[in-house]
Amino acid sequence: MQAEHLVGRDSELALATEILRQEGAGAVLLLADPGIGKTALAAEIAARLAGEMVVMRIHGSPALSAVPYGVLAPYLLDLPVEQATSPVAILREFWSQFERRRGGEGARLLLIVDDAHDLDEGSTQILAELVTAGWARLVATSRPRPGLPPALLQLWYDGLAERLELHPLEKDKVTELAEKTLGGTVMASVAEVLHTLSEGNPLLLRCLLDDSRADGKLVRRNGIWFLTGALTGTGEGLAEVVRNRVLRTSEAEREAMYVIALSEPVPASVLDAQVGRDTVRALVDNRMVVSTNGPGSPLKMWHPLYSEALRQIVSPARSLQIRQRMVQDLLSEPPTAEGLLRMVSWALDCGADVEDEQLLQAAFLAARLLQNPLAMAAARKVRSDALQPRARAVMAMVHYHDGDFRSAARLLEVDSGFLDADPSGPLGTGLLWAAARTAAGDSSGAIVAEAQAAAEALVEGLPEAMSGHVGRQARVLELAALAYDGQYGELREGLELFAADLDPEQADFVTNRISLLAIQCELLTAEGQPVQAMEAGREALSLLDGRTEDLLYFRDFVVVRYVFAALESGDWDAANSALDGYAASSAMGLIVFGGGIQALKGLSLLRQGRLEQATEMLTPAVEALGVTDPQRLRGLGAALALYAAARSGDAALAHRLAGEQDTNGSGGAYVDSLAEIFRLAGMELVEEGSGLPALRQIPASRPVHGLPGLLLQNLVLRAELGEAEAMESIRATASSMAGAWAAGWHSFAAADVAGTGQGYVNAGNLLAAAGMPGPAAVTFDKAAATFDAEGKRPEARQAAVLRDVSEANLGDALVHDPQADADRSVPLTRREQDIVALAVSGLTDRQIAEKLMVSVRTVEGHLYRSYAKLGIRRREDLGAAVRP
């Protein structure tokens, strides 16, 4: 039995074995839906007790459920035919079989009964008698519905059995199971996809893992497992599981499942008329079919993956036949988005005709949910010339998310489709076209020139309202280009003029307002006013929430800018909430945007000082961004990963990442500048002197780097690298900025300049309250050292307690302050000497922790204090520092 089958079942396994070992009667009843792991748990229980008991196995079967004592037949071969209906004779013969098996050694009997819900009444009574008499121990598995047979359930009522319900695995257990199965680290976003699609069902999870590896969608690079495409229920592993289960049902039930899988959700009344109420009730009782929203609501298969697998089993001809039979009962306008997509997808699969308007509606919806194959198939089927521009816009969006930026741009350039003269057209295509062009490497100047030329050609002969709409689209692209190039001074003036030109009476007012707010959000973030930036971003997002049916790319454009504003502000919760909701509408969103989401979460962790967590988040993100990067964040992600690895002491990883840096940049001035800052800081840690001089020079040589939003990050990294002079500049820069992040560093810098113990304590309290435990721990440590130097021992002890609290809140690698003066009068403790010696020998923190049987955080804490005592700032200097 493979250990990964039992992830998350340790408590149930321990309780079951304890019950079965105790004196007197004992039974364990395991209840769970199919695939949750009850059979695997029963098998492991048997394996654990095989050395103590004689194990006899019985398998319930629908085919034998009506045959008295049918499942006991393998143990009744020597029973005379005339006694085959006698419970006493059957009990005696069964017991004699057990006696022969145990060979007179006095071992107990352990009965393992799988699928007890399919037992016949006679067999159930025999098993219950064996347990009640204390002759046997029992482990029985069953589905919650139809549930345990009455005789076994009576054991629980009488206190002779323990009833254990197994539930789907939580996300952390899904991650653990996936990593044990795959033998490597799984990206956080991939674990989220696996948890969402499998719904925590271990059997479905194993099928997803096996099938996705087989078809090349789940791949490993540099030890990290990530997804390159959508996971579906069409793999052979899952198909085999579904086929086996379907074969165990009646012909009527199979027909009903085909109908439901093809047309779900299906009104219960329609299904009753098509396949019969008794058949439907049987499927519901066996949890093969569930209601979508309580009793009386439409029905669907119990799991979406089963539906996909069933649809693969049905031939196109059979599918068309079922559709023709049901067409009178199907709604022409399905009430739900899920219903619309299923109807259109079903029609396309079997060659049925669909109206253009419904095709386009489904295409837009599928594109928004990142169901790319359906979006492309529906858009390609649109025949109307009037609707072709919108269909091409959908296909362009799909190409963009797939990373085929040239194809996306070409589709939108047909008849200048990226500038639509109709305000109700495919809104957002202009921004999508510009993003595709910049991602493909075209200059913003060329893009703006083409947009202006297209606008001039398009407005000829148009009514004034339409020509104004086209002109405003072109103006939005100009403003976006200014932001992309980092021409923020000119951008501010342009935004003011554009805002003055907007009129709430204009048909395109809302979309232009969204564009204006998103670009303002970026400008204010760069200028060091992230609180105002967040307000602009929130308004844009609220406007988006009311316009989801006809928008393309707008949400991508707004969300990333809002998240950067939240991170600049120090509002970590707002940033995480926006990122978690960004791709929440579909599992595919976590595949397309997963790398970018993890990169931005990594930036959040770095600013909080959570170095190890940041490294764990960012290292896989770099691999995923190499496959899909619609927001063009690979350069930033790689730079953040380099800095996180170097700061946390993982020299091997840092050196590898240093050689893989992406310096081309295509995320725009703000993103690329932020990436350059972290890249230089990371290189300084990898090779001293290779990054710090450039960090000092950049603000004066490049205007973008002189803006407060980028300058403060530059100064903070310089301070973390050991440049004491940076603190005065931090205080001056942060004083004009808004947000908790800037306020925390302003307080730290002011305290450092003043050099008083109480000042450090006040700054540490502010940093801790702002959710920055790393800098807070450093600040409290400085307070303790300052108080100690002043002879204020009680204050020093209190500051040390506050430092330890911050370190406990940190939860990972502790932040070392390289500015701290070495106190060589304080010798290393015995434990510090041991840990330093192991570190010098080349062991990692985790290996040291395992060798000394302590936590990784304990190792990191001792190393942190050893650095301060030895007057060094990184692991590589330990050897020279301790050399006699």
Side-chain angles (χ1 to χ4, degrees), residues 141-158:
T141 72
S142 172
R143 298 176 193 165
R145 295 178 66 177
L148 289 160
L152 296 186
L153 199 57
Q154 188 65 43
L155 295 175
W156 178 54
Y157 292 145
D158 294 341

Side-chain angles (χ1 to χ4, degrees), residues 11 69 88 152 251 483 516 843:
S11 60
Y69 312 110
V88 174
L152 296 186
E251 184 176 349
L516 172 70
L843 296 185

